[in-house]
Amino acid sequence: MKSITKVEYLVIGAGPAGLQLGYYLEKTNHNYIILEAGDSPGTFFKNFPRHRKLISINKVYTGYDDHEINLRWDWNSLLNDSEKMLFKNYTKQYFPHTDDLVRYLRDFATEFNLKVHYGCKVVKITKNEQFLVIDSNDHIYCAARVIIATGFTKPYIPVIPGIELAENYTDVSTNPEDFINQRVLIIGKGNSGFETADNLIETAAQIHIVSEHPISMAWKTRYVGNLRAVNNNFLDTYQLKSQNAVLDASIKKIEYKNGLFSVSFSYTHAHGEEETLVYDRVIVCTGFRFDSSIFDESCQPELTINNRFPSQTSEWESTNIKDLYFVGVLTHMRDFKKKQSGFIHGFRYNVRTLHKILEHKYHNQELPYQLVDSTSEKLVEAIIKRVNQSSALWQQTGFLCDLIIVSEEDKTAKYYQELPKDYIHDSYLGDSDHYYTVSLEFGYDVNKMPDPFNINRVHKDDAVNASQSAFIHPIIRHFCKNTLIAEHHVIEDLASEWVEDVHILPLLEFFNSQLSQTKQETDVAIREWNTTTF
């Protein structure tokens, strides 16, 4: 008879997200196991990115001594209570080598005695009342809850006739000498495509990078998954006439004839002009996708966004399979190409919040909060402290927010830290008659963003126009049962230190006004807001 191991929580994958969740499950003494297919944590980072440089920053010297503030510029450390287990202790490089991250993850698992089983590749997941998970060693695990932390394990291949003839980013040669005097087409304008192109500039005769849409620069969109400056050296070679080019075009088909690739294009910005060009190599750099093949029909999760992600609720639970959760890059489904859930410095906070939600949902624990006197002075004091210190609000702008629920009976408020905005409105929390959210956000919609290096900033003393602030700044919103009543912007600050009268006094005035409203005035405000908005 096959052996069966019973657990409360089965985490699949010992990458950064799996280890981060393991850290919290270990601290709360839950019965859990992490299954890892490789022989050590961070298997993905042993191979990717292919050219071995991370684009997650590691800013060691910030001028601050506060650990929480420093996490704003430390994008690789996992959240923990040990000064020893900070990534800065492993390298001082601003863009670290991936080997340093692999070493850090291995030590993290050891330092906190995480229950990781290595060499256990999951081959099948089924569900009746509970989940049954079978690994490559023919061992069976019975789990009340399964959390998928595998990340993306399969390349995402767009539907293009003949694309199977091309090479893929996952296994193409990284030796520039293999491309001497060759004409190369790279499909995909993300960081993997430009990272690949940058590596070939010295040896390839000609490099074209193609996708249907124009390049999105991270410094403009403020989304770190868009093209980063560290990978955009190639753009100089295009604009300064060095034989390379960036094409906005769709590919109609790829054919292989007489040792060459014939690629048919339809240009996006040339009135549909069509052209066929010839290349020696074609490389597909279009990203990765979630592999759902380990699930049988009893628990196959719904997929979304071109079938690249599992569909999830605001609790990061599968939309169709109860008790199946996702952590890590897979949670990026909730803020795809907008916020930072696809990266360690974003999803580490998602994991911490998920753990709080699991404690509340399954273990009768209240979501943690602090009691604050519901006076204007005390609320403003609590908010100003948080926006000047929190790394979660800083990293997950507008996605995670603090929540303040005001009790009219005893003149106190419950202050909750870093909950997903959607979760607040989806859960019982949004039924409250009087609550506020606190977030850090940028001012411009990315689709309307002017040149970010040529923006007229709001004058420091012009707090009345703080809502026009383009750069990151605090926003406080007043709700009644999920209806927005009022909104207050704290004016932007060059150093992002909101400590002056121009930041504090208008916020005090806002709370004086909101806290003094009667129920009748609130009802009028709701009607006026709805009329204005809709």
Side-chain angles (χ1 to χ4, degrees):
M1 183 177 178
K2 295 179 181 178
S3 61
I4 298 179
T5 301
K6 293 188 176 182
V7 292
E8 267 186 299
Y9 294 96
L10 188 67
V11 182
I12 300 175
L19 297 183
Q20 184 70 87
L21 182 59
Y23 170 80
Y24 288 110
L25 293 173
E26 182 71 27
K27 284 190 71 172
T28 46
N29 200 32
H30 284 302
N31 179 16
Y32 76 95
I33 290 174
I34 303 173
L35 298 183
E36 169 55 42
D39 58 5
S40 64
T43 300
F44 179 86
F45 293 100
K46 293 179 181 179
N47 300 305
F48 302 103
R50 293 297 310 283
H51 300 92
R52 317 306 294 142
K53 179 184 283 189
L54 298 171
I55 57 173
S56 49
I57 68 170
N58 176 48
K59 196 169 191 298
V60 176
Y61 306 107
T62 67
Y64 292 95
D65 295 324
D66 187 286
H67 166 75
E68 176 69 14
I69 294 176
N70 283 333
L71 282 171
R72 293 180 171 187
W73 305 289
D74 170 358
W75 291 8
N76 298 284
S77 291
L78 299 183
L79 304 176
N80 69 89
D81 55 9
S82 170
E83 184 70 23
K84 174 183 175 183
M85 292 312 301
L86 292 175
F87 194 71
K88 68 180 182 181
N89 298 322
Y90 285 74
T91 177
K92 298 292 190 286
Q93 285 187 302
Y94 190 75
F95 292 112
H97 195 282
T98 52
D99 289 349
D100 293 317
L101 181 59
V102 172
R103 187 163 54 94
Y104 171 77
L105 296 175
R106 180 197 65 205
D107 291 352
F108 188 93
T110 301
E111 176 71 16
F112 298 109
N113 299 309
L114 303 186
K115 297 178 178 66
V116 186
H117 291 190
Y118 298 106
C120 298
K121 180 179 176 61
V122 171
V123 296
K124 188 175 183 180
I125 301 176
T126 66
K127 187 184 184 190
N128 190 356
E129 291 184 3
Q130 295 198 324
F131 293 94
L132 289 179
V133 179
I134 304 173
D135 71 12
S136 51
N137 304 310
D138 225 19
H139 192 89
I140 300 174
Y141 303 83
C142 178
R145 290 166 280 282
V146 167
I147 296 95
I148 305 297
T150 54
F152 292 134
T153 54
K154 292 183 68 174
Y156 170 68
I157 309 296
V159 179
I160 299 172
I163 199 168
E164 70 280 358
L165 302 170
E167 300 172 88
N168 196 279
Y169 172 78
T170 57
D171 49 25
V172 68
S173 171
T174 57
N175 182 1
E177 301 297 312
D178 292 339
F179 295 82
I180 289 177
N181 216 30
Q182 293 183 356
R183 294 161 295 177
V184 180
L185 174 67
I186 296 172
I187 303 174
K189 291 179 186 155
N191 283 291
S192 61
F194 278 88
E195 164 203 329
T196 301
D198 191 55
N199 185 53
L200 303 180
I201 287 174
E202 294 181 356
T203 57
Q206 180 186 83
I207 306 170
H208 289 173
I209 298 182
V210 64
S211 75
E212 291 185 34
H213 305 291
I215 297 167
S216 294
M217 304 299 302
W219 46 257
K220 182 173 183 180
T221 64
R222 295 182 175 124
Y223 168 61
V224 302
N226 287 146
L227 180 58
R228 302 285 296 283
V230 69
N231 284 328
N232 74 12
N233 183 52
F234 178 86
L235 296 180
D236 271 11
T237 72
Y238 170 40
Q239 296 292 355
L240 300 179
K241 306 181 294 297
S242 297
Q243 295 188 284
N244 300 326
V246 177
L247 310 179
D248 292 350
S250 59
I251 300 176
K252 296 304 181 183
K253 63 180 177 179
I254 302 171
E255 297 178 297
Y256 188 64
K257 302 175 182 177
N258 302 319
L260 296 173
F261 292 91
S262 178
V263 182
S264 301
F265 299 98
S266 176
Y267 290 106
T268 306
H269 303 303
H271 307 290
E273 176 189 340
E274 296 188 356
E275 184 175 16
T276 298
L277 300 175
V278 176
Y279 300 94
D280 298 288
R281 309 280 283 267
V282 177
I283 306 171
V284 180
C285 298
T286 50
F288 295 85
R289 64 180 292 267
F290 172 59
D291 183 2
S292 63
S293 62
I294 57 175
F295 296 91
D296 82 349
E297 62 277 1
S298 66
C299 58
Q300 183 67 224
E302 291 178 348
L303 302 181
T304 188
I305 310 178
N306 295 324
N307 292 331
R308 293 180 65 183
F309 289 85
S311 183
Q312 297 153 62
T313 70
S314 55
E315 296 179 344
W316 299 291
E317 184 178 22
S318 169
T319 53
N320 68 310
I321 305 297
K322 189 175 183 295
D323 301 324
L324 176 64
Y325 292 86
F326 303 91
V327 292
V329 64
L330 297 178
T331 64
H332 200 26
M333 172 260 156
R334 296 292 308 181
D335 59 357
F336 184 55
K337 291 191 176 182
K338 295 178 181 176
K339 307 301 178 183
Q340 320 312 331
S341 294
F343 312 89
I344 293 173
H345 67 287
F347 68 60
R348 63 190 179 190
Y349 302 103
N350 295 358
V351 172
R352 180 163 67 184
T353 297
L354 173 61
H355 180 257
K356 296 175 188 176
I357 291 173
L358 296 176
E359 289 290 291
H360 171 65
K361 192 172 182 179
Y362 298 110
H363 306 289
N364 298 314
Q365 300 294 314
E366 280 196 89
L367 290 172
Y369 61 83
Q370 293 178 315
L371 281 176
V372 179
D373 290 341
S374 58
T375 64
S376 299
E377 291 76 14
K378 289 298 182 181
L379 292 176
V380 168
E381 180 183 335
I383 290 170
I384 289 297
K385 181 179 179 181
R386 281 287 291 165
V387 298
N388 280 294
Q389 185 181 42
S390 170
S391 60
L393 299 183
W394 178 273
Q395 303 289 23
Q396 288 288 60
T397 53
F399 181 77
L400 295 180
C401 59
D402 286 357
L403 169 68
I404 304 171
I405 298 180
V406 175
S407 169
E408 306 295 348
E409 289 77 25
D410 56 10
K411 301 302 180 184
T412 61
K414 294 179 178 180
Y415 196 115
Y416 300 82
Q417 295 184 0
E418 58 206 57
L419 296 171
K421 176 180 62 178
D422 291 342
Y423 173 73
I424 292 171
H425 299 311
D426 291 345
S427 70
Y428 69 96
L429 298 169
D431 293 332
S432 304
D433 290 329
H434 188 173
Y435 69 94
Y436 301 85
T437 61
V438 180
S439 56
L440 291 173
E441 300 180 34
F442 290 98
Y444 274 108
D445 182 317
V446 295
N447 298 315
K448 301 176 182 177
M449 172 66 74
D451 180 352
F453 298 108
N454 187 26
I455 292 178
N456 291 321
R457 299 188 65 171
V458 180
H459 192 281
K460 181 178 179 180
D461 297 325
D462 190 15
V464 70
N465 289 314
S467 62
Q468 297 176 26
S469 297
F471 296 93
I472 193 167
H473 63 281
I475 303 178
I476 296 83
R477 295 181 173 93
H478 178 194
F479 290 88
C480 174
K481 294 186 183 297
N482 279 336
T483 298
L484 184 62
I485 303 297
E487 181 174 292
H488 177 78
H489 293 244
V490 177
I491 197 167
E492 63 193 20
D493 181 81
L494 180 62
S496 297
E497 295 178 347
W498 298 278
V499 296
E500 300 177 44
D501 285 351
V502 71
H503 306 124
I504 296 171
L505 295 182
L507 185 56
L508 275 169
E509 184 179 331
F510 171 76
F511 271 104
N512 284 333
S513 169
Q514 300 304 306
L515 292 172
S516 65
Q517 278 190 175
T518 65
K519 176 67 166 62
Q520 184 177 5
E521 288 171 330
T522 299
D523 290 340
V524 171
I526 291 174
R527 288 196 297 271
E528 288 180 348
W529 183 271
N530 287 339
T531 301
T532 303
T533 306
F534 302 107

